[in-house]
Amino acid sequence: MGLLLFETALDVFSLFLIMFLVGREKISVKGGAVKWLVVILIFCLFDHTQFNSADSSSVNAVLLRDFEILPVQSIPGLIGLLFLTLLMNSFVLKASHVEIIFVTMLGYIIWLLIRLFTVATIDLLTISQLVIRPLSFLLTICFYWLVTKRFLVYIRNDFNEFVKLMIVSVFGFLLYIILSSRNQNGLMIHPVFIEFVVLIVLAMLGWIFYEQKRAQVMENRMKATEKYIPIIDELVAEVRSRQHEFSNKLLAISSILQSTEDMKVAREQVSKYVENVQLTNGQQELLNMDHKVIAGFLYTKMKRVEQLKMELHIERSVSVSAFPCEDYDLIEVLGILIDNAIEACYGGDTILIRMMQLNDRYELTVSNPAGYMTNEQFMQLFKLRYSTKSTHSNGRGFGLYNVQQIAKQYSGKIITRNEQKNGQMITIGIQF
């Protein structure tokens, strides 16, 4: 009985890791994770008991069973497990009810692929069947770690219609393969064929995730364009609306020069008029910027800074389009860095944005007045959930951590340094 509990627990925990990975939900003992594990584990143990209830030596029947791919022992148990997993996912994972169905199917696809590969490999190498579940569990942990570190960005909940169709098709196909393989004497289908099927399905999933990521990129580009292009048009309209004012000022300046004989007085009066009609450094930079989406985004930040009685300066020596990253990622990095700088500043302070090229690398940094920081303090800022603000505030401590993840995505590195420029400043950014 102890072996049964151990093996079932390995199956359930493997399935648990995959479901939370696909659902992109953080595992926490304070949430519904423990309930999910307990409910599914109890159901699987119950199904094993029901399956062997007709046998007087039920424990021996469990220990001596042949190849088992599923964590349950009967068709009704399989149906019940699918529906119960769907129900628990709907309570624990954050997605719509329709999306939960496809998240659950995708989770089972990945779990079944790992199990099929394990069973077929063990059958080919003629290893003891007792190794199936421990090896499956180890492969699941490796897969969880790999996806979390490298490929989590390719998994999302709001699948498009094509991906949904492919998930349903692959799920049905795998169930057919598994149900056809169940036999008391081993696998009815040759293990080599099963491993070939696993590789084909993995290739299909990789292609599906790639297409999903490409669709996500296009969608994010459209959203950024629709949101920020009209904003830069507002800046252009604002400048155009001041053209009439400029004309009047020019006439006034001409009148001053003609009517004033004292050149010193004339200079003072002309300076007053010119001071009121000049565009700010930021406005001139945004109008000259080669990327309207980024310019529109920066214009919104500039307006916010003005409301807080601060200044936002932009120093740019390279084209914005030269940065090797997507528009929405560049916007997220800028937004996080500028917002952090604003929260660290007071009225009258100046925030400096720099875009430059150093050798073959492109550097984007944001600087703001602050006290000297050590390397350990800089490193602390990028830890998940760490925040210099109130620890009671929800949603804190994700900003700079997300910047770090974006840097990793593009093989970039984080820039942090102390600077002496018009006083003590700290600089944080990314080098692509």
Side-chain angles (χ1 to χ4, degrees):
M1 191 65 185
L3 179 61
L4 171 63
L5 178 61
F6 173 71
E7 292 186 339
T8 306
L10 288 179
D11 277 350
V12 172
F13 198 77
S14 299
L15 185 60
F16 164 81
L17 287 177
I18 296 298
M19 289 297 173
F20 273 66
L21 177 66
V22 175
R24 302 189 71 169
E25 183 70 21
K26 183 176 175 63
I27 298 175
S28 173
V29 294
K30 296 181 180 180
V34 175
K35 294 179 181 178
W36 195 103
L37 281 168
V38 171
V39 170
I40 301 297
L41 178 62
I42 291 175
F43 179 84
C44 291
L45 288 173
F46 176 78
D47 182 75
H48 278 278
T49 304
Q50 292 294 103
F51 180 76
N52 295 287
S53 60
D55 191 341
S56 59
S57 57
S58 59
V59 175
N60 291 331
V62 171
L63 296 179
L64 299 176
R65 60 183 180 270
D66 291 308
F67 275 116
E68 292 179 4
I69 300 176
L70 297 168
V72 290
Q73 296 291 300
S74 61
I75 299 299
L78 173 61
I79 296 173
L81 178 63
L82 293 176
F83 278 100
L84 187 60
T85 306
L86 185 65
L87 180 64
M88 294 306 298
N89 284 351
S90 66
F91 283 118
V92 177
L93 304 182
K94 296 175 182 177
S96 66
H97 293 303
V98 175
E99 296 297 333
I100 283 293
I101 296 175
F102 297 99
V103 167
T104 303
M105 284 187 180
L106 180 58
Y108 268 109
I109 287 172
I110 296 173
W111 188 89
L112 292 173
L113 286 174
I114 294 174
R115 176 53 62 85
L116 277 173
F117 179 80
T118 305
V119 170
T121 301
I122 287 176
D123 191 37
L124 281 173
L125 300 177
T126 62
I127 302 175
S128 171
Q129 300 173 16
L130 296 177
V131 183
I132 292 177
R133 284 169 174 80
L135 183 56
S136 295
F137 181 66
L138 290 176
L139 290 176
T140 301
I141 292 177
C142 292
F143 180 83
Y144 183 90
W145 176 83
L146 180 65
V147 173
T148 303
K149 289 291 183 182
R150 296 286 182 180
F151 303 109
L152 189 61
V153 69
Y154 289 91
I155 299 178
R156 59 184 299 197
N157 292 337
D158 48 334
F159 305 107
N160 59 41
E161 298 304 319
F162 170 74
V163 173
K164 289 178 181 178
L165 177 62
M166 293 298 296
I167 288 175
V168 173
S169 301
V170 172
F171 179 74
F173 175 71
L174 284 179
L175 277 185
Y176 171 77
I177 291 291
I178 290 170
L179 295 177
S180 301
S181 301
R182 290 174 64 86
N183 186 19
Q184 290 183 352
N185 298 321
L187 289 172
M188 186 178 299
I189 301 177
H190 199 278
V192 174
F193 175 75
I194 289 183
E195 291 199 339
F196 174 75
V197 168
V198 170
L199 292 176
I200 293 297
V201 174
L202 282 175
M204 291 176 61
L205 286 177
W207 177 62
I208 289 173
F209 289 144
Y210 171 76
E211 290 294 326
Q212 182 74 8
K213 174 59 179 176
R214 193 167 68 168
Q216 179 184 357
V217 168
M218 294 301 298
E219 181 183 345
N220 288 336
R221 283 179 182 172
M222 291 298 297
K223 286 181 179 179
T225 301
E226 292 173 357
K227 184 174 182 179
Y228 294 113
I229 288 292
I231 293 175
I232 198 62
D233 290 338
E234 289 179 13
L235 173 59
V236 175
E238 179 181 335
V239 173
R240 286 177 177 172
S241 68
R242 297 178 63 183
Q243 286 181 341
H244 183 67
E245 179 186 353
F246 294 164
S247 298
N248 291 336
K249 295 290 185 181
L250 288 174
L251 289 174
I253 291 171
S254 176
S255 177
I256 290 171
L257 294 176
Q258 292 177 8
S259 61
T260 306
E261 296 180 358
D262 189 337
M263 185 58 66
K264 183 180 179 180
V265 175
R267 283 187 187 137
E268 291 177 355
Q269 293 182 358
V270 169
S271 296
K272 291 180 181 179
Y273 277 94
V274 173
E275 182 181 337
N276 294 329
V277 299
Q278 285 181 331
L279 293 176
T280 65
N281 165 270
Q283 289 175 328
Q284 291 176 343
E285 177 59 44
L286 294 182
L287 288 173
N288 295 328
M289 193 168 285
D290 62 313
H291 202 304
K292 279 194 171 185
V293 173
I294 302 300
F297 170 76
L298 289 175
Y299 184 62
T300 63
K301 294 300 180 183
M302 192 171 292
K303 284 296 186 182
R304 183 186 173 196
V305 167
E306 288 177 0
Q307 291 174 353
L308 297 173
K309 308 300 181 184
M310 303 175 189
E311 293 184 15
L312 181 64
H313 290 180
I314 302 173
E315 293 181 4
R316 183 174 61 91
S317 59
V318 295
S319 168
V320 178
S321 302
F323 282 88
C325 62
E326 293 294 338
D327 299 348
Y328 55 87
D329 285 327
L330 192 59
I331 286 173
E332 183 172 359
V333 170
L334 279 168
I336 292 169
L337 296 180
I338 294 172
D339 287 344
N340 283 357
I342 290 174
E343 291 185 357
C345 289
Y346 301 93
D349 286 343
T350 299
I351 298 170
L352 176 61
I353 301 173
R354 280 179 287 200
M355 301 180 186
M356 63 187 73
Q357 183 176 5
L358 299 175
N359 299 324
D360 59 340
R361 309 280 287 185
Y362 292 91
E363 187 172 294
L364 166 67
T365 60
V366 175
S367 305
N368 62 269
Y372 180 86
M373 294 185 69
T374 64
N375 289 336
E376 291 75 15
Q377 289 174 320
F378 275 124
M379 291 174 63
Q380 190 77 6
L381 292 176
F382 291 89
K383 289 185 178 179
L384 183 62
R385 295 185 181 276
Y386 175 82
S387 175
T388 57
K389 289 82 180 176
S390 172
T391 56
H392 300 288
S393 301
N394 294 325
R396 291 290 191 181
F398 288 93
L400 290 178
Y401 175 81
N402 290 340
V403 170
Q404 190 177 46
Q405 297 307 304
I406 292 173
K408 289 180 180 179
Q409 182 182 338
Y410 293 99
S411 301
K413 65 177 183 179
I414 296 295
I415 300 295
T416 58
R417 57 177 175 256
N418 294 282
E419 293 187 10
Q420 288 289 342
K421 187 170 183 177
N422 299 324
Q424 177 65 41
M425 301 184 77
I426 63 168
T427 297
I428 299 177
I430 291 184
Q431 192 177 87
F432 294 98

